[in-house]
Amino acid sequence: MEPAPSPQGRVRAPSPAGASGARLERLPRPDPRSTPLHGVIAARRSRREFGRRGLTDAETSALLWAGQGITSVEGGRAAPSAGALYPITLTLVDARGVWRYVPAVHALALEEVGDRRARLASAALGQESVAGAPLTIAVSARPAVLAARYRERAERYCLLEAGHVAQNVLLMATALGLAAVPVGAFDDEAVLGVLALGPAHLALYLLPVGAPPAGSG
Ligand SMILES: Cc1cc2nc3c(=O)[nH]c(=O)nc-3n(C[C@H](O)[C@H](O)[C@H](O)COP(=O)(O)O)c2cc1C
């Protein structure tokens, strides 16, 4: 049963702008050490500079799994999806090429050979974080996957799902001690071109990830 709120916990709201005076009930202060997830959420920050080393295969695997990995025998994935229809595609851009993540077999399919990171950075309005990262995970969605069931809400659900997926990747990066930033400012068409995706896709997020720079603690 819910404990009754203590009378001491109830204080009047300060009125910074002549506010309504609504009653506040204070919440227990979250302890970042109380669960591993508390600690990861507390530690997550957007980090735009990276060290020289590339990511290990284990790190790359964990990031992609956190975004779209299959986590149940029924085929459920790490991030929620409206109607379990999964409109999101993850594409990895690194020094070797452009790779599509294939959740069903937890593998990367090589789409384009060659380093496209400079082109991706220029599509992202020259952002240094994209230029300097050893790899970027791009989150895109195909609203048509949801359209039959969700009609005019399909695009909205794609945006919501991209947020879930990106946050999972960012929290995994934090848990692994990596640096990452969500990037939403880019030229959509140019990004789709680099990712080798057609116009049925919405380019929604770029997630440059790398090791933190040396000496950044
Ligand atoms: C939708 C969205 C788009 C963003 N786009 C960019 C971006 O293009 N470039 C960038 O450096 N940071 C971008 N950010 C990161 C924000 O600048 C960052 O989250 C904010 O400053 C708060 O800092 P924190 O993430 O460390 O808590 C974006 C964040 C969101 C949620």
Side-chain angles (χ1 to χ4, degrees):
M1 205 175 65
E2 286 288 307
S6 82
Q8 294 89 337
R10 299 175 173 191
V11 295
R12 281 197 92 67
S15 332
S20 66
R23 194 182 66 197
L24 288 182
E25 291 201 2
R26 296 222 183 268
L27 299 165
R29 184 175 293 280
D31 177 356
R33 293 158 306 177
S34 56
T35 71
L37 186 57
H38 279 72
V40 174
I41 289 174
R44 186 210 59 80
R45 285 275 76 80
S46 291
R47 300 191 199 283
R48 300 172 177 81
E49 289 176 7
F50 307 102
R52 293 174 65 83
R53 81 160 173 92
L55 297 196
T56 66
D57 287 349
E59 288 167 335
T60 303
S61 164
L63 294 166
L64 294 165
W65 174 83
Q68 276 294 271
I70 298 205
T71 50
S72 81
V73 284
E74 295 81 19
R77 297 197 192 177
S81 177
L85 291 171
Y86 305 110
I88 299 284
T89 298
L90 295 183
T91 305
L92 186 144
V93 180
D94 68 4
R96 291 195 295 153
V98 175
W99 309 78
R100 213 77 77 212
Y101 178 57
V102 187
V105 286
H106 188 58
L108 286 167
L110 184 59
E111 292 289 326
E112 302 269 348
V113 179
D115 191 347
R116 304 284 195 270
R117 291 176 300 168
R119 270 183 62 200
L120 190 61
S122 111
L125 319 178
Q127 294 195 57
E128 294 283 329
S129 58
V130 181
L135 66 81
T136 290
I137 295 173
V139 182
S140 61
R142 206 152 54 89
V145 172
L146 302 180
R149 181 130 163 214
Y150 295 111
R151 301 174 192 282
E152 70 281 355
R153 295 184 81 74
E155 193 165 318
R156 171 197 295 241
Y157 287 176
C158 285
L159 306 182
L160 295 170
E161 291 195 27
H164 289 297
V165 169
Q167 186 72 354
N168 274 9
V169 174
L170 295 172
L171 291 177
M172 180 58 81
T174 303
L176 294 171
L178 300 172
V181 56
V183 167
F186 49 74
D187 176 322
D188 297 358
E189 255 183 61
V191 165
L192 287 180
V194 176
L195 302 180
L197 290 170
H201 290 258
L202 297 173
L204 295 174
Y205 248 147
L206 298 177
L207 307 170
V209 189
S216 67

